[in-house]
Amino acid sequence: MALIDVQGLEKIYTNDEVETPALRGVSFRIEKGEFVAIMGPSGSGKSTLLHMLGFLDRPTGGEYRFDGKRFDDYTDEECAHVRNIKMGFVFQAFNLLPRTTVFDNVLLPLLYSGVPEREWASMVRKAIDLVGLGHREKHGSSQLSGGEKQRVAIARALVLNPQVIFADEPTGNLDSQSGGQVMAFFEQLHAAGHTILLITHETYTAEYAERIIKFRDGKIESDTQVHKRRTSSTPFNK
């Protein structure tokens, strides 16, 4: 059973009775453990797709099944629970809480998780150590470099060991060295069995994935298995 199963997915935005189609009958499957890059120019529908897959918005038509269950069968409360427990999100803008420590930023998903509070500290430190920031856990987010902020965002996405990680342009605000380290770490996560869906417009970034789905005008233009590039970047926990 595919982790993500999308059949004929459609999304139409309506503004002042003007309809704008963003997704036009999109169909694909992503198996557990895959590393898939979604590519396309601005306005191609890839960000809209991420909102659908991440339970952040509901489609206009078609069907989306996550882990075997139809999206339409989830209540809003269940959607929030799935987003927090089974999905991890990493965004271009980091989305860290300002004036808050690394530790408390990574802690955030646990506050709504149902995990016993006595387990929180060890889970947070494990995630922080995984991205090589154990020495920075008490630092405020404003004291970090861009690369370090993204590493905190990755630790936060991983703290509950989600079934899938959605990464939306995760290197967009980083220099080439920091971006390479972030992508090398995603590669490491994939090797450890994590399912990763990467949204990007950069060919270089997409080549870290094992499969590239290209979008144009709300439709799939191509869906290709790729020969992964060999990276010289070093994951930051080594």
Side-chain angles (χ1 to χ4, degrees):
M1 178 180 64
L3 179 62
I4 290 172
D5 188 348
V6 172
Q7 300 299 322
L9 202 69
E10 297 180 350
K11 182 63 179 181
I12 299 174
Y13 293 104
T14 303
N15 186 17
D16 294 331
E17 298 185 355
V18 176
E19 293 187 344
T20 303
L23 293 177
R24 306 167 183 257
V26 172
S27 300
F28 63 90
R29 291 186 176 122
I30 296 176
E31 304 293 335
K32 293 178 182 178
E34 279 197 270
F35 187 173
V36 180
I38 305 290
M39 285 193 71
S42 178
S44 62
K46 60 186 189 296
S47 293
T48 298
L49 176 68
L50 177 66
H51 289 161
M52 304 295 110
L53 300 184
F55 284 18
L56 298 168
D57 196 3
R58 291 188 179 271
T60 308
E63 184 174 275
Y64 169 32
R65 289 180 179 269
F66 180 79
D67 204 20
K69 183 175 178 179
R70 294 174 68 250
F71 185 12
D72 290 344
D73 293 336
Y74 287 92
T75 65
D76 288 344
E77 183 178 349
E78 288 172 334
C79 283
H81 180 74
V82 169
R83 276 196 306 270
N84 189 49
I85 301 297
K86 296 185 177 183
M87 300 175 177
F89 296 88
V90 180
F91 296 102
Q92 177 178 344
F94 317 131
N95 290 357
L96 301 184
L97 297 175
R99 298 180 298 279
T100 304
T101 65
V102 168
F103 185 97
D104 287 339
N105 268 285
V106 178
L107 173 69
L108 189 62
L110 289 161
L111 300 178
Y112 312 98
S113 68
V115 173
E117 188 172 348
R118 64 182 179 274
E119 299 178 20
W120 291 359
S122 63
M123 293 174 68
V124 170
R125 290 195 172 97
K126 179 180 179 181
I128 292 173
D129 287 344
L130 189 65
V131 299
L133 288 177
H135 63 295
R136 304 282 268 170
E137 73 169 48
K138 294 182 180 179
H139 285 68
S141 57
S142 61
Q143 298 175 284
L144 306 177
S145 68
E148 288 174 330
K149 288 178 181 178
Q150 194 60 294
R151 287 154 66 177
V152 175
I154 293 171
R156 183 179 57 194
L158 290 172
V159 70
L160 284 167
N161 193 28
Q163 288 182 275
V164 60
I165 299 167
F166 294 113
D168 188 6
E169 302 281 4
T171 63
N173 285 337
L174 304 179
D175 59 52
S176 58
Q177 181 179 357
S178 296
Q181 290 178 332
V182 165
M183 292 312 304
F185 187 66
F186 279 123
E187 201 170 41
Q188 188 182 67
L189 290 175
H190 172 238
H194 286 273
T195 306
I196 300 170
L197 193 144
L198 169 71
I199 302 292
T200 184
H201 67 279
E202 299 173 332
T203 300
Y204 177 83
T205 302
E207 287 176 347
Y208 282 86
E210 62 183 357
R211 176 181 169 198
I212 298 175
I213 302 176
K214 292 185 178 180
F215 270 68
R216 183 172 297 276
D217 298 329
K219 298 179 180 180
I220 292 178
E221 187 175 54
S222 64
D223 184 346
T224 310
Q225 295 287 333
V226 297
H227 178 68
K228 292 179 66 172
R229 64 183 302 276
R230 184 179 297 275
T231 175
S232 59
S233 299
T234 302
F236 29 66
N237 65 323
K238 294 189 176 180

